[in-house]
Amino acid sequence: MSHTNANQTQTTSIDNQPKRILTGVTTTGIPHLGNYVGAIRPAIQSAQNGNDDDQSFFFLADYHSIIKCSDPKQIHESTKAIAATWLACGLDPEKVVFYRQSDVPEIPELAWILNCSCSKGLMNRAHAYKAAVDANNEKADVDPDHGITMGLFGYPVLMAADILMFNATHVPVGRDQIQHVEMARDIAGTFNHKYKSLFTLPSAVVDDNVALLTGLDGRKMSKSYGNTIPLFGDGNPQVDPEKQMRKAIMQIVTNSQAPEEPKDPDDSVIFEIYQAFATPAEIADLRSQYESGIAWGDAKQILFEKINGEIAPFRERYFELMANPKELEEILLMGAEKARRHSRKQLDKTRRAIGIKPLAKLK
Ligand code: TRP
């Protein structure tokens, strides 16, 4: 683990205190194997194995998702599938605070207040915004801000509100989100200096051991490339999800080496994905099978069995929750209630600090 933006002193002082771990998932798309290995599994493990004094907050960032996606049905379905996935994979909603961002109205309210402690110039430097402007500038006769909403521009402020609302100390994220956590730090510093020290400065935590999976076609596994291995199938009830997983694995692109030829494990997507699931002994065994010339079809079968062995026990619970959204809804509302015990207080302090408070006590 590395604390990307914390200097030595901050890292040490943070590590001696109970951690408050918080992370969010945008609700677009249906979880795939890359999400499982990169975010879901490590987050659940850290909540299970963490110190008893640590507190974990996991939430569905549905107000963030409408920045990227304006299909209401997709947002809705994705929220349901992601919530069901996290719970089916073992997240214990009694142990962590598991909620939906939109159930905590204090968050967008805080985002507005933080907007007023965030310089526009800081947002001009955000990678996602700059990339969108660059893409426009490459086209002739297109305004630099063409198609860019205030939602996209202010995305990091809403994310800062998510984080600062709960005084998170550790924010596990992928590399692409480090800048956003640093912006949250920056905004917190500005507010604390201008008014009152109310917000903890968060640190991004990037786990270098977490595998970034390659997709079926050799590019990074990503929904936008359509090269993923779905965790629980694509939602089509006609096709058995286990069969769908096997079919996807059989589609992994390989070279044209003949079955008995020795193969290079370090240049193989099958082997790479296998390493994210297998024990060191199993990995060593497959490595030697590569060297003695395993057929691609057999390597894929071994990979399928390994992944399926880990995921199969979660399937029943996933489909049970998907078929019973009432249970999901109750779990999320219970999480929101826990989250709001914190957020109501934090927002109240923030409003008082900026001078927004009752003019007089009424009996
Ligand atoms: N922006 C994050 C992503 O796309 C999701 C997110 C929203 C988040 N709010 C957050 C992550 C707060 C960590 C903390 O992955």
Side-chain angles (χ1 to χ4, degrees), residues 108-127:
E109 212 173 323
L110 178 63
W112 174 255
I113 297 172
L114 296 177
N115 262 304
C116 303
S117 282
C118 174
S119 72
K120 176 174 174 289
L122 185 68
M123 295 298 100
N124 287 343
R125 292 192 284 280
H127 299 318

Side-chain angles (χ1 to χ4, degrees), residues 12-13 37 100 176 180 205 224:
T12 317
S13 70
V37 166
R100 189 165 42 190
D176 61 322
H180 292 153
V205 181
S224 44

Side-chain angles (χ1 to χ4, degrees), residues 22-26 59 61 64 68 101 155 158-159 162-163 171-173 176-177 180-181:
L22 175 143
T23 198
V25 189
T26 45
F59 70 97
H64 274 109
K68 292 186 217 159
Q101 184 185 39
Y155 184 109
L158 181 56
M159 191 161 151
D162 292 329
I163 298 169
V171 184
V173 283
D176 61 322
Q177 299 293 317
H180 292 153
V181 181

